Amino acid sequence: MENKALFFSVLMVCFLMVASAGNFFQDFDLTWGDHRAKIFNGGKLLSLSLDKVSGSGFKSKKEYLFGRIDMQLKLVAGNSAGTVTAYYLSSEGATHDEIDFEFLGNTTGDPYILHTNVFTQGKGNREQQFYLWFDPTKNFHTYSISWDSKQIVFLVDNTPIRVFGNAERKGVPFPKNQPMRIYSSLWNADDWATRGGLVKTDWTKAPFTAYYRNFNAQSSTTSSRFLNGAWQNQQLDAYSRRRLRWVQKNFMIYNYCTDSKRFPQGVPLECR
């Protein structure tokens, strides 16, 4: 009897989790790019495209203050040099907060660079960059931001790659007061994106297309928060800490906290 009850409970949780998955028609607005941004498969799939005339983008209808945001992406395949696929949370205004994933394209056969950044009260310059341990153009992978008043965790396929902790006690602002929308865009950045702008976009390969699916948001502003409160107590367990160290040891290629040439007067306070 207990086994049946347990099975039923698990089944109900699985059903509810699936039911909470987002619908792009309901959750997002296509904001620019005309026909280059598309929602199809009954709202289950979204694509952004870039050609020589324009890129494209979308944003969430809702704002979020703390929570966990998951999105599956399949990035531009082939020669993606010069292109940037951005997926981020941001508020508005000169003193905005922002939490960034940016995927910097590369020539065929060379790896994407995953660029992360955190802006607080309009100030960024907190970049960490990574290679991925898989080809992000072959299949969909899940990119997540888990955010509470204590820390921001960036995750790839549920593996933490970066933690930005609250360092207000050191005088460093932390994004905790401004609700943010989810944004994504695909655009041409060949003046800087690939090898510092040395490699330009090959427009003979256009249009360039990235795909999105399985959006999910758990937040104090959404009714799905009762499904999994893990984001509200997101201290990393021992396994997650090991995975974080593994990623940072083997796949991190830039960390602003160790860039003494960039900060000759000393690294930023949150790094100390």
Side-chain angles (χ1 to χ4, degrees), residues 5-20:
L6 178 61
F7 173 78
F8 180 75
S9 298
V10 170
L11 191 65
M12 284 300 294
V13 168
C14 291
F15 169 76
L16 288 168
M17 286 296 287
V18 170
S20 72

Side-chain angles (χ1 to χ4, degrees), residues 93-259:
T95 57
H96 75 288
D97 295 333
E98 188 173 320
I99 305 169
D100 289 348
F101 278 112
E102 289 187 313
F103 303 90
L104 312 185
N106 217 328
T107 52
T108 303
D110 289 336
Y112 264 83
I113 291 174
L114 172 52
H115 176 100
T116 66
N117 203 352
V118 177
F119 287 73
T120 60
Q121 297 184 10
K123 180 182 179 298
N125 299 325
R126 299 183 176 99
E127 302 91 348
Q128 290 184 0
Q129 294 182 336
F130 305 83
Y131 288 138
L132 295 165
W133 49 97
F134 52 83
D135 183 343
T137 72
K138 296 295 186 185
N139 296 294
F140 283 91
H141 292 271
T142 304
Y143 303 91
S144 307
I145 295 166
S146 186
W147 166 40
D148 65 17
S149 61
K150 297 183 178 66
Q151 63 184 6
I152 299 163
V153 183
F154 295 76
L155 304 104
V156 176
D157 289 338
N158 214 35
T159 293
I161 65 168
R162 176 179 184 176
V163 177
F164 182 81
N166 185 329
E168 288 179 302
R169 59 186 173 79
K170 297 181 179 180
V172 180
F174 186 81
K176 66 176 188 179
N177 298 314
Q178 301 183 50
M180 304 194 214
R181 294 187 192 276
I182 304 161
Y183 295 84
S184 190
S185 57
L186 174 56
W187 50 291
N188 178 43
D190 66 4
D191 56 333
W192 67 272
T194 305
R195 294 183 59 200
L198 294 176
V199 182
K200 301 301 183 182
T201 303
D202 182 355
W203 293 111
T204 67
K205 301 294 193 293
F208 305 97
T209 304
Y211 296 92
Y212 302 73
R213 73 178 188 189
N214 289 352
F215 163 70
N216 190 56
Q218 299 175 59
S219 166
S220 56
T221 64
T222 71
S223 61
S224 62
R225 70 182 185 275
F226 67 89
L227 294 176
N228 181 1
W231 68 266
Q232 294 172 306
N233 183 22
Q234 58 168 333
Q235 291 299 114
L236 300 182
D237 60 19
Y239 174 75
S240 296
R241 291 194 298 272
R242 287 196 301 272
R243 294 289 286 173
L244 176 65
R245 289 193 296 269
W246 173 76
V247 171
Q248 295 193 339
K249 177 182 177 182
N250 294 289
F251 299 99
M252 180 185 282
I253 58 173
Y254 178 77
N255 181 3
Y256 78 106
C257 280
T258 60
D259 192 344

Side-chain angles (χ1 to χ4, degrees), residues 61-77:
K61 297 178 187 290
K62 293 180 180 179
E63 295 180 322
Y64 301 89
L65 182 61
F66 305 140
R68 174 164 170 150
I69 307 296
D70 302 301
M71 184 84 78
Q72 291 192 335
L73 281 76
K74 184 162 70 170
L75 299 179
V76 173

